[in-house]
Amino acid sequence: YYVFILYSFTDNKFVNWRRSMLYFIGAGAGDPELLTIKGKRIIDNSDVIIYTGSLVNKELFTDIKSDAKLINSASLSLDEVLEIIFDSNEKGLSIARVHTGDPAMYGAIREQMVALDKKGIEYEVVPGVSSVFAGAAALKREFTLPGVTQTMILTRMAGRTPVPEAESIENLAKIQASMAIFLSIASIEELANKLMTSYPKDTPAAVVYKASWPDQKIIMSTLENIAGEVKNADINKTALVYVGRFLADEFELSKLYDKHFSHEYREAKDARR
Ligand code: SAH
């Protein structure tokens, strides 16, 4: 009998005929140059590309195969997406499932993975630059400042998707760490009020709208004033809210670059640890 094997340029290896691979790919925050080299190679060699609507930059798809099928999943249900995936897999077509930012943050990838597992379809994940990091780059800030905080909290307010009570904004605010809040800009006033139950009202707060896109906007303010400024700027979607003293300019110098601090790669000048 015959065993069919093919060389796949998508996977860069020999694969069984008709057993195509699916890649979940992080598109990055918006700027097409934030797509990883690996993500680009896979997208450019895929037969079927399913991307999550408005937040994925179409410029990512300028070098795809001329006969590749490009599908916007914005108007599709999970079942409809799965149907396309199953059908393409059946035909041995390689599939790229492109999610905005990094797929591990609010990407709804687990529900797809469970369905793929049931069908025995193989998949891998290629990470991406989450908007939370593109936003920090836009702000030129570091979440983890010595003497300020060494913790970053990524969260959202409860919306149609509930949030466990223990993770309410009020509870997380008690920790006084650096915080980035996704999916909540439309309720900025309520959010700021919840944060102010623990953070002082003059705590720095920032909003980054469309981080890394050409129409990116930054608002740097305080918890007390941020809601009004966001309303004035007419921002009500595709934005992250940041809060914490990491946004201010006072902190202790990093131990890593302190000349009195030895570490694995450098001997201290005057080892005073
Ligand atoms: N997986 C994505 C997040 C998807 S949830 C990531 O890692 O970035 C969608 C939310 O992400 C939006 O409501 C907004 O809060 C945030 N977001 C996505 N892209 C953004 C961008 N370019 N700038 C600011 N916020 C963004």
Side-chain angles (χ1 to χ4, degrees):
Y1 65 99
Y2 298 96
V3 177
F4 292 97
I5 54 167
L6 289 177
Y7 190 77
S8 160
F9 291 97
T10 317
D11 302 345
N12 262 354
K13 63 184 181 196
F14 288 98
V15 292
N16 283 340
W17 188 47
R18 298 215 144 210
R19 293 303 293 171
S20 68
M21 181 79 155
L22 182 143
Y23 288 91
F24 291 99
I25 298 171
D31 178 352
E33 293 196 323
L34 293 181
L35 176 64
T36 64
I37 293 168
K38 184 167 188 172
K40 174 155 173 64
R41 174 175 61 75
I42 294 169
I43 287 173
D44 290 352
N45 288 296
S46 287
D47 300 313
V48 179
I49 301 155
I50 311 170
Y51 67 98
T52 52
S54 58
L55 291 182
V56 170
N57 195 332
K58 310 295 171 295
E59 283 177 43
L60 298 188
F61 308 127
T62 49
D63 300 326
I64 62 174
K65 297 204 287 191
S66 56
D67 58 348
K69 250 193 273 168
L70 189 58
I71 300 162
N72 180 348
S73 66
S75 59
L76 303 177
S77 67
L78 172 62
D79 284 340
E80 288 168 326
V81 169
L82 289 173
E83 210 167 288
I84 295 168
I85 291 175
F86 297 158
D87 181 61
S88 307
N89 180 263
E90 196 88 337
K91 293 179 177 142
L93 302 174
S94 53
I95 309 162
R97 178 70 176 107
V98 183
H99 286 264
T100 168
D102 185 282
M105 283 310 292
Y106 307 110
I109 53 172
R110 270 312 295 171
E111 59 194 30
Q112 299 173 62
M113 290 174 175
V114 169
L116 296 177
D117 287 340
K118 278 197 192 128
K119 287 265 180 181
I121 298 174
E122 278 187 84
Y123 52 85
E124 270 178 33
V125 182
V126 179
V129 177
S130 173
S131 59
V132 73
F133 298 115
L139 291 166
K140 302 189 168 72
R141 286 297 189 277
E142 174 179 349
F143 299 134
T144 50
L145 292 179
V148 176
T149 178
Q150 292 291 295
T151 302
M152 176 66 186
I153 296 174
L154 309 185
T155 190
R156 63 170 296 169
M157 274 209 321
R160 269 179 304 176
T161 305
V163 171
E165 177 51 32
E167 302 161 23
S168 67
I169 297 292
E170 291 91 329
N171 273 345
L172 297 178
K174 287 179 193 154
I175 300 169
Q176 299 281 298
S178 302
M179 246 168 116
I181 301 114
F182 289 76
L183 295 159
S184 306
I185 191 70
S187 317
I188 180 74
E189 196 170 342
E190 186 187 345
L191 174 63
N193 286 334
K194 289 180 179 208
L195 289 165
M196 282 187 286
T197 58
S198 284
Y199 289 96
K201 60 184 194 311
D202 60 352
T203 305
V207 163
V208 182
Y209 167 77
K210 293 195 82 175
S212 86
W213 289 80
D215 48 346
Q216 164 184 297
K217 276 187 212 153
I218 293 177
I219 294 180
M220 190 60 102
S221 184
T222 59
L223 270 183
E224 191 178 20
N225 296 323
I226 190 95
E229 292 188 36
V230 164
K231 295 249 157 70
N232 286 342
D234 216 14
I235 296 172
N236 50 35
K237 57 173 191 197
T238 325
L240 276 159
V241 183
Y242 295 92
V243 62
R245 288 203 295 127
F246 80 95
L247 290 165
D249 264 331
E250 4 92 23
F251 61 94
E252 294 169 11
L253 287 176
S254 158
K255 292 268 185 287
L256 195 56
Y257 296 104
D258 181 343
K259 65 179 185 220
H260 301 303
F261 186 75
S262 302
H263 62 78
E264 207 179 335
Y265 302 106
R266 184 163 49 73
E267 277 296 309
K269 296 251 157 43
D270 155 24
R272 259 205 325 201
R273 302 198 218 201

